[in-house]
Amino acid sequence: MNMKIEKYEKIGTSKYRLYLDNGEVIDTYDNVILKNKLLTKKALDQDTYNKIFTDNIIEEKYNMAVKYISIRIRSKQEIIEYLKRKNTNKDTIEEIVLLLEKNKLLNDEIFTQAFINDKLKFTTMGSYKIINELKKHQISDDIINKYSNIMSDNILKEKIIKLIDKQIKTNNKKDNTYLKNKLYNKLINLGYPASLTIDILNSYFN
């Protein structure tokens, strides 16, 4: 049975209310209206009617994902997990992810670069720990390998020296051997390469 759209009413920035000739009222989005050509095709068959509701869900969840990304850059896996928590089915998640990638709002390479730079600048994490965190985001080895050179030995060395200097100031009464071992364990746990850590520690503790 066909239904007819009798009236359109704007109810938000990108939302509209459709009034049907059977008395039904449907709230939808401008993208759904355009996608289904509802401005020119005012008569709705059952398939188009059903599709409006399916497209509404996709549009609603897509907007939620965009808002989530607007807080900070996200990995593909973060978006998938976020949409799962919002009770989104697998097919809808896949469609939204593809749409986000198409609109250049989701890109694991850009995420990886930003993630590495952020962790180097604002945390005490070493390279191995940063890589492990990226793997938790299910970033591929190819992408990790492509951008791991951001974590150069010079940058890691600066971070190690800063951490050592801070520890020496707060532990200046400790035995050198004890302090050296303590620093080594701390730096390894933070994910710094053992060889680089040992070389720098040896320059402090002969």
Side-chain angles (χ1 to χ4, degrees):
M1 185 176 75
N2 285 348
M3 291 153 278
K4 185 179 179 182
I5 302 172
E6 291 192 328
K7 180 184 173 183
Y8 299 86
E9 180 186 357
K10 192 172 178 65
I11 58 171
T13 306
S14 60
K15 291 194 77 173
Y16 286 82
R17 184 162 288 158
L18 309 182
Y19 295 86
L20 306 187
D21 61 353
N22 64 356
E24 187 173 356
V25 177
I26 301 173
D27 290 346
T28 188
Y29 299 85
D30 49 7
N31 285 339
V32 176
I33 290 172
L34 293 171
K35 187 176 181 180
N36 292 282
K37 300 177 181 177
L38 299 180
L39 292 174
T40 56
K41 184 176 64 178
K42 294 190 176 183
L44 303 180
D45 56 28
Q46 191 64 48
D47 287 342
T48 304
Y49 175 83
N50 292 338
K51 193 168 183 299
I52 289 172
F53 291 96
T54 302
D55 289 346
N56 268 354
I57 292 171
I58 293 170
E59 188 70 19
E60 179 187 359
K61 303 286 187 178
Y62 175 82
N63 289 337
M64 289 167 64
V66 170
K67 188 175 180 180
Y68 188 56
I69 291 169
S70 71
I71 298 169
R72 67 166 175 78
I73 190 169
R74 306 284 179 178
S75 66
K76 180 178 175 179
Q77 187 60 30
E78 277 185 285
I79 292 299
I80 290 170
E81 293 300 327
Y82 172 75
L83 290 171
K84 282 180 181 177
R85 293 196 299 272
K86 299 299 180 181
N87 300 315
T88 313
N89 67 50
K90 184 180 177 182
D91 289 343
T92 301
I93 290 174
E94 289 177 357
E95 188 162 349
I96 290 170
V97 166
L98 287 173
L99 193 55
L100 289 168
E101 290 175 334
K102 179 183 176 183
N103 292 334
K104 301 186 185 306
L105 295 172
L106 193 60
N107 184 309
D108 273 351
E109 289 202 28
I110 293 173
F111 170 82
T112 299
Q113 294 176 72
F115 187 90
I116 292 173
N117 284 320
D118 182 72
K119 298 307 177 189
L120 288 174
K121 188 173 182 180
F122 299 112
T123 78
T124 57
M125 285 186 190
S127 53
Y128 294 150
K129 195 163 187 177
I130 292 172
I131 288 170
N132 284 335
E133 289 297 312
L134 286 168
K135 288 182 176 180
K136 288 179 185 177
H137 284 272
Q138 296 193 17
I139 304 299
S140 71
D141 288 341
D142 286 345
I143 292 177
I144 291 173
N145 292 336
K146 184 174 180 180
Y147 296 101
S148 60
N149 64 341
I150 296 173
M151 299 177 284
S152 67
D153 281 354
N154 285 338
I155 289 174
L156 294 175
K157 184 176 180 180
E158 285 178 15
K159 286 171 67 67
I160 290 172
I161 289 171
K162 191 177 291 185
L163 285 163
I164 291 174
D165 287 343
K166 184 178 179 181
Q167 288 295 312
I168 287 175
K169 284 180 182 178
T170 56
N171 295 274
N172 57 359
K173 293 182 180 179
K174 299 290 185 182
D175 174 76
N176 278 0
T177 302
Y178 167 85
L179 186 53
K180 183 178 181 180
N181 288 335
K182 180 182 177 180
L183 283 165
Y184 175 79
N185 290 329
K186 182 180 179 67
L187 290 163
I188 294 302
N189 287 334
L190 285 171
Y192 290 94
S195 58
L196 184 62
T197 298
I198 291 168
D199 285 345
I200 297 171
L201 284 172
N202 284 341
S203 71
Y204 275 84
F205 305 97
N206 294 322

